[in-house]
């Protein structure tokens, strides 16, 4: 370390690179996300994976922190989509600061959120006839334009979006997009379009189905997949059936709900730890099921995990009871005991283990789709 004097008689301390790196290692990730912009040297110290003492390789964590939800108006009647953000708990706001782009207005014009995965958003300029997609990291404010698709979908498309880290030491993600048109008529074949960031190309696959199916995915049910397990994308459609696409073996099939799993109120899928879960809300009870059989088996075996009653926890939010109040339901992507309920325009978290509820967001009479956002120990790069 050396000290130099300026004409103002104020000392300027010059630190060697080893000390700078040691200091950077001790900073929280939200500070590092800002400091990459200080100068080229700091950016190199923080972000260059070739450095022996790379901060990123030491700070990366495979276990994300559930930070909150981006929400988007289901109506889409406005010229630009109404996108908002809220934290998943009161403590979540302490993990991240103003570096998060909550408006996702990175192009200076309105875009629609199509899907979310592993801390990234898939966005498009249109809901119908989609051809141009963008992958966006709102923590790093970094986006990537996906090559335009060869064709456009005339209806709402079923979208699969999956981001993963291939090399933790580099912490650079790769992603896959799959899509197909909603099948309003009974069909025996379907065309799947797939994009891989590794090849930077779209490919098209025509699949002959073992059993004819109908698939209705639209803006009211969120056309994005609910998760990916070993290359199998999973959806829950408006016909209350499970849709699976095996991207490894190029197969698409549907599974019907067991009669005891059906519910008139909120229903949803979730993936945690490589397992598939299904939750349903009927009157004042939430029931959680998990898929015991192999994800690729067409003879699904669902097992009831538990049933939790909401009455006591939600008495302050629903004094007249819960009948017909739960409009939609979401499973916490990292905790099977936490649910998010859309009740009369209010998002309420419910912890079934502690039997407590918390009001997270109140958007009045508007109805929103929710897209989970996960914050990693180090914000991942495209």
């Amino acid at each position: 370390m050396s000290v130099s004097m300026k004409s103002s008689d104020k000392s300027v301390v010059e630190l060697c690179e080893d000390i700078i790196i040691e200091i950077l290692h001790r900073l929280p990730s939200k500070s590092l996300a800002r400091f990459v912009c200080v100068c080229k040297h700091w950016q190199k110290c923080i972000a260059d994976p070739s450095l022996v003492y790379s901060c990123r390789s030491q700070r990366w964590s495979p276990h994300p922190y559930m930070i909150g939800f981006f929400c988007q108006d289901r109506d889409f009647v406005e010229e630009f989509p109404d996108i908002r953000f809220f934290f998943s708990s009161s403590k979540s706001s302490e993990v991240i600061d103003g570096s998060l782009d909550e408006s996702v207005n990175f192009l200076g014009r309105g875009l629609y959120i199509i899907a979310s995965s592993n801390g990234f958003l898939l966005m498009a300029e249109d809901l119908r006839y989609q051809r141009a997609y963008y992958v966006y990291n709102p923590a790093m404010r970094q986006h990537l334009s996906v090559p335009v698709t060869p064709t456009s979908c005339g209806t709402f498309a079923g979208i699969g979006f999956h981001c993963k880290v291939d090399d933790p030491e580099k912490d650079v993600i790769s992603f896959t997009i799959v899509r197909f048109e909603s099948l309003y008529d009974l069909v025996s074949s379907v065309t799947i379009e797939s994009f891989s960031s590794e090849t930077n190309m779209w490919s098209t696959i025509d699949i002959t189905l073992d059993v004819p199916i109908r698939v209705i995915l639209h803006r009211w049910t969120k056309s994005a997949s609910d998760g990916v397990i070993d290359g199998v994308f999973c959806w829950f459609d408006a016909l209350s059936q499970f849709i699976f696409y095996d991207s490894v073996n190029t197969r698409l099939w549907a599974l019907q709900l067991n009669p005891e799993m059906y519910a008139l109120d909120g229903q949803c899928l979730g993936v945690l730890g490589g397992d598939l879960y299904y939750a349903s809300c009927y009157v004042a009870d939430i029931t959680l099921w998990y898929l015991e059989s192999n994800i690729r088996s067409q003879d699904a075996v669902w097992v009831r995990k538990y049933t939790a009653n909401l009455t006591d926890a939600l008495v302050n939010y629903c004094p007249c009871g819960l009948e017909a109040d739960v409009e939609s339901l979401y499973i916490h992507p990292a905790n099977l005991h936490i649910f998010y309920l859309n009740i009369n325009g209010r998002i309420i978290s419910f912890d079934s283990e502690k039997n407590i509820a918390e009001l997270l967001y109140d958007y009045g009479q508007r109805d929103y789709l929710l897209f989970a956002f996960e914050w990693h120990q180090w914000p991942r790069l495209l």
Side-chain angles (χ1 to χ4, degrees), residues 44 51 109 118 130 137 159 168 221 224 235 247 289 300 324 347 358:
K44 179 182 178 181
L51 285 179
R109 62 180 185 273
N118 216 2
Q130 296 173 6
N137 182 342
I159 297 290
T221 57
W235 291 266
S247 62
W289 306 74
I347 300 298
E358 179 184 4

Side-chain angles (χ1 to χ4, degrees), residues 108-362:
R109 62 180 185 273
L111 294 176
Y112 295 98
I113 300 177
I114 305 299
S116 63
S117 173
N118 216 2
F120 288 82
L121 302 176
L122 179 67
M123 310 194 70
E125 297 183 357
D126 302 290
L127 285 175
R128 295 179 181 268
Y129 311 106
Q130 296 173 6
R131 296 199 65 186
Y133 293 100
Y134 302 88
V135 176
Y136 185 53
N137 182 342
M140 295 290 289
R141 299 176 181 251
Q142 179 193 29
H143 77 274
L144 179 69
S145 299
V146 177
V148 175
T149 61
T151 61
S152 63
C153 288
T155 60
F156 289 99
I159 297 290
F161 178 52
H162 181 52
C163 296
K164 60 187 179 70
V165 174
D166 298 307
D167 186 351
E169 292 189 356
K170 295 182 178 180
D171 196 22
V172 176
I173 66 109
S174 63
F175 62 89
T176 302
I177 304 171
V178 299
R179 71 173 198 165
F180 60 91
E181 289 199 36
S182 291
L183 311 173
Y184 292 95
D185 299 318
L186 198 66
V187 299
S188 57
S189 65
V190 63
T191 298
I192 301 288
E193 293 176 290
S194 178
F195 176 84
S196 171
S197 62
E198 297 177 353
T199 63
N200 201 39
M201 294 178 58
W202 285 93
S203 60
T204 302
I205 304 171
D206 294 319
I207 300 176
T208 300
L209 304 176
D210 298 332
V211 177
I213 63 173
R214 294 174 62 209
V215 180
I216 299 181
L217 297 162
H218 52 68
R219 60 189 173 90
W220 292 101
T221 57
K222 193 167 69 172
S223 61
S225 60
D226 293 288
V228 182
I229 300 176
D230 191 24
V232 179
F233 291 82
C234 315
W235 291 266
F236 187 73
D237 79 344
L239 299 176
S240 295
Q241 61 181 351
F242 306 109
I243 309 298
F244 299 99
Y245 170 61
D246 185 347
S247 62
V248 177
N249 301 305
T250 61
R251 292 176 55 239
L252 181 78
W253 69 97
L255 291 177
Q256 302 300 317
L257 274 177
N258 295 339
E260 64 269 25
M261 298 171 66
Y262 185 76
L264 292 176
D265 298 328
Q267 304 168 81
C268 65
L269 280 179
V271 173
L272 178 61
D275 294 320
L276 183 65
Y277 294 86
Y278 165 78
S280 62
C281 183
Y282 181 71
V283 187
D285 290 329
I286 288 181
T287 302
L288 185 70
W289 306 74
Y290 71 94
L291 183 64
E292 186 179 59
S293 56
N294 186 282
I295 187 68
R296 289 183 166 86
S297 173
Q298 297 192 39
D299 297 322
V301 178
W302 290 92
V303 177
R304 186 197 306 264
K305 192 171 180 66
Y306 66 81
T307 297
N309 187 270
L310 300 165
T311 304
D312 293 338
L314 299 183
V315 65
N316 294 329
Y317 306 109
C318 307
C320 298
L322 281 169
E323 294 187 15
D325 279 336
V326 179
E327 300 170 9
S328 55
L329 176 70
Y330 300 85
I331 304 175
H332 191 295
N335 189 328
L336 293 175
H337 295 280
I338 297 179
F339 300 88
Y340 301 95
L341 302 91
N342 181 356
I343 302 178
N344 297 332
R346 292 175 294 179
I347 300 298
I348 298 171
S349 67
F350 170 66
D351 189 325
S352 62
E353 275 192 326
K354 300 177 181 178
N355 194 32
I356 58 175
E358 179 184 4
L359 176 64
L360 302 180
Y361 196 76
D362 188 344

